[in-house]
Amino acid sequence: MNLRKLNPFRGLPNAREVWAWGMYDLANQSFTLLIITLLFSLYFKQVVVGEEGRGDALWGAVYGGSMLLVVASSVLLGALADAKGWRKQMLLGTGIGCVVLTCSLALTGPSTVVLAAALFVCGNLMYQLGENFLASFLPDVSTSRNIGKISAIGWTMGYVGALPLLLITVGSMLVFGRQETEEWRPYFVFAGLWFLMGMIPAALLLRNDPARERMPGSLLKDSFGRVWTTAHQVRRYRHLALFLTGFFVYGFGIQVVVAFASILAADFGFSGLQLVLFVLQLTVTAGLSAAVTGLFQDRIGAKTTILVFLGVWIVSTLALLGIAMWEGAPEWSLWVIGNGIGFGLGGLGTAGRAMVGRCTPRHRAAEFFGLWGMTYKLAGAIGVLSFGLVKEGLGNVGALALLAGFFVVGAAIVAFVNERAGVLSARQAEREYRAGLPVRGGSGVLPPTMGA
C-alpha cells in the first residue's frame, strides 16, 4: 500500500498552513471534550453543586448564560476583526484567555458555585469566540473546489486530538486511581496546557491579514456599521440566512448532546472509567465520520451531506428515547446508539462549516462566521437551558422527545435551502468588492432561483 495516498495534505499547495489551522482544532478539543462534554459538566453537578435535584438546571443555566454572552459579541467582534485585520490576534488572544481560565477550574470544589460558574462562563466565552475566528480562516486556506475537504481535515484533526486526550485520561484514572468525580481537578490543568501547546503552529504559520477597510470614526462605530450593512443585505444572502435558521434549530440538539452527554450517560448507569470509554467510542466514530465526509461532500454538496447526517441524528435520538421508555433495556443498546450519535456529530459539524464557507464572501469572512457562531451559540443558550428545565420537570423521556424534535424541524428547514444560489451570491459580492463598487442591498444581483 502506498502510504502517501493516506496523507490528507497531499497535493495541497498550502499544506503547512492547512496543518497549522487544523492543529488549532486539535488543540481546543481539550476544552470542548474534557471540560464541556466529559468531566467538568458532571463535576459541576456532583461536586460543586452537590445538592440533589439542582445540578441539571444550574448547569443548563451556566452553560446557556455563557452562550448568551457569546451571542451578544460574536458578530460585532467579527466585523471588527474584518475591518481592522485582527483575526489572528483575536484567535490567539481568546485562546490564551481560555487556557488560563481552564487551568483555574482546578481551584473549584464543593460549595464554590459562584467561582466555578464565573470561571466556566468566561472560559467558554473565550473558547466559543475563538471557534468563530478559527472558522473564518476556512475560506482563506481553501478554494471553492476543496473547501469541503479542508473543513473535514480540520474537523478530523480535532477528533484525532480527542483520542490521546481520552486515552491519557483513561490511563491516569487506572494508574493513579482518579476515577471518582471529586478527584478530577488535575485534568482541568491538563486540558489547559494541552490547548496552549497545540495552538503554537497556528501562531507561527497562519498569516496575518491586512486591514481591508479604513472607515472613519471609532472602532465601535466601524463594527456596528458593517453589521448594519449586512442586516440590510439579508435578501441578497437569503439562502445563507435560511440555512442558518435551520442550523439554529438543529443546533439546539447538537449543543444539548455536547453539554449533557456525560450527565445523560450517568443517568443510564455509566460512571467513572465506563463513562470515559463510552465517550471514547463516540469520539472515534465522530472522527471517522468527519474523515469520510471529506471524501464526498465536495461532490454531492454541503446541503445533501447535512440532510443525510440529520437523518442519522433523528434515528439515533428516537432510539435513545425508546431506551428511556423501555425499562430494563440492555446496556449494549446504548453503546450501539452512541455510534450513531458520534457518526452524526462528526459529519454534520464539518458539512455545516463548509456550507457557511461556500456562501460567504471572503472579505467578510470573520463577520459571517461570527454570525454562524452567534447562531450556534444562541442555539446552545436556548437549547441547553430548555433541555435542562424539561429534564428536571418531566424527566428523561420528555427531554429526549424534545431533543428528537429539534433535528426533525431543522431538517425540514434545511430542505428548502438553494446551495448553488447562495454560492453565486457570495462570488458576485466578491467581484463587486474587488471592483470597488458600492455595496448593494435588497435582492441586488442575485441570480434567479435554481434547483438545489
Side-chain angles (χ1 to χ4, degrees):
M1 177 185 292
N2 187 351
L3 295 180
R4 291 184 60 191
K5 292 183 178 180
L6 300 178
N7 179 6
F9 306 100
R10 186 171 63 94
L12 295 177
N14 59 338
R16 293 176 73 239
E17 192 175 9
V18 172
W19 172 75
W21 178 75
M23 279 297 296
Y24 199 100
D25 254 334
L26 186 151
N28 67 16
Q29 273 294 310
S30 65
F31 189 86
T32 187
L33 180 63
L34 294 186
I35 303 303
I36 299 177
T37 301
L38 180 59
L39 300 181
F40 189 73
S41 56
L42 200 58
Y43 178 86
F44 181 85
K45 175 182 176 179
Q46 295 183 354
V47 178
V48 175
V49 178
E51 185 178 336
E52 190 68 29
R54 293 184 64 223
D56 289 333
L58 275 176
W59 173 245
V62 168
Y63 187 87
S66 69
M67 290 304 206
L68 287 176
L69 291 177
V70 181
V71 169
S73 55
S74 288
V75 178
L76 190 63
L77 290 176
L80 177 63
D82 276 333
K84 303 303 176 184
W86 290 350
R87 283 190 303 164
K88 184 175 178 180
Q89 292 91 326
M90 287 186 170
L91 174 68
L92 298 178
T94 54
I96 292 171
C98 185
V99 166
V100 173
L101 291 160
T102 301
C103 292
S104 299
L105 290 174
L107 301 174
T108 64
S111 302
T112 59
V113 175
V114 174
L115 175 63
L119 290 174
F120 176 80
V121 166
C122 294
N124 195 41
L125 175 65
M126 294 293 102
Y127 162 73
Q128 302 288 351
L129 289 173
E131 278 277 278
N132 297 348
F133 292 121
L134 179 68
S136 75
F137 280 90
L138 176 58
D140 291 348
V141 299
S142 64
T143 67
S144 59
R145 293 180 178 273
N146 66 12
I147 190 169
K149 175 183 177 180
I150 290 180
S151 177
I153 287 174
W155 220 265
T156 304
M157 288 180 69
Y159 287 115
V160 168
L163 294 180
L165 278 168
L166 289 170
L167 291 174
I168 292 170
T169 302
V170 170
S172 64
M173 283 183 175
L174 292 173
V175 173
F176 300 109
R178 291 189 173 273
Q179 298 186 34
E180 298 301 321
T181 312
E182 60 269 17
E183 298 174 332
W184 286 353
R185 285 186 294 176
Y187 298 123
F188 307 151
V189 178
F190 168 61
L193 295 178
W194 176 281
F195 195 169
L196 179 64
M197 296 302 295
M199 71 169 65
I200 292 175
L204 296 176
L205 298 176
L206 284 183
R207 286 174 287 180
N208 283 300
D209 47 1
R212 288 166 175 159
E213 295 182 22
R214 293 295 182 188
M215 295 181 286
S218 67
L219 296 180
L220 194 61
K221 183 178 178 181
D222 290 357
S223 302
F224 273 115
R226 291 176 65 93
V227 174
W228 182 257
T229 298
T230 300
H232 276 71
Q233 290 185 292
V234 67
R235 285 189 62 204
R236 181 171 201 177
Y237 302 106
R238 62 184 181 270
H239 295 288
L240 176 59
L242 183 60
F243 167 70
L244 289 176
T245 302
F247 174 66
F248 174 64
V249 177
Y250 75 70
F252 291 161
I254 296 176
Q255 291 276 26
V256 164
V257 170
V258 170
F260 274 91
S262 63
I263 292 175
L264 284 171
D267 289 344
F268 282 104
F270 288 8
S271 63
L273 184 61
Q274 188 182 33
L275 178 63
V276 178
L277 292 174
F278 177 76
V279 175
L280 175 62
Q281 175 206 242
L282 189 150
T283 302
V284 170
T285 309
L288 291 174
S289 174
V292 170
T293 302
L295 301 177
F296 64 80
Q297 72 171 328
D298 284 319
R299 291 197 296 271
I300 71 172
K303 172 187 169 179
T304 301
T305 306
I306 289 166
L307 289 175
V308 168
F309 285 112
L310 281 174
V312 173
W313 269 107
I314 291 168
V315 171
S316 299
T317 51
L318 287 175
L320 200 60
L321 174 61
I323 288 182
M325 298 171 65
W326 178 14
E327 292 187 13
E331 183 182 289
W332 61 262
S333 61
L334 189 60
W335 289 91
V336 172
I337 293 171
N339 281 314
I341 291 172
F343 189 76
L345 188 64
L348 198 57
T350 180
R353 186 164 65 176
M355 171 71 90
V356 176
R358 286 173 61 79
C359 298
T360 292
R362 292 176 187 271
H363 61 287
R364 309 198 81 143
E367 179 186 351
F368 277 41
F369 273 100
L371 181 61
W372 167 77
M374 183 192 75
T375 303
Y376 187 49
K377 278 56 173 183
L378 183 58
I382 297 173
V384 173
L385 181 59
S386 61
F387 185 85
L389 293 173
V390 171
K391 186 175 185 295
E392 186 168 307
L394 301 179
N396 279 341
V397 172
L400 291 172
L402 177 67
L403 179 62
F406 290 152
F407 294 109
V408 172
V409 176
I413 296 172
V414 172
F416 290 97
V417 173
N418 187 323
E419 181 180 352
R420 185 181 179 189
V423 172
L424 291 176
S425 297
R427 301 294 83 80
Q428 180 64 33
E430 289 175 5
R431 288 191 291 270
E432 291 177 7
Y433 177 78
R434 288 194 297 267
L437 298 177
V439 173
R440 284 184 281 171
S443 57
V445 294
L446 265 179
T449 302
M450 305 176 191

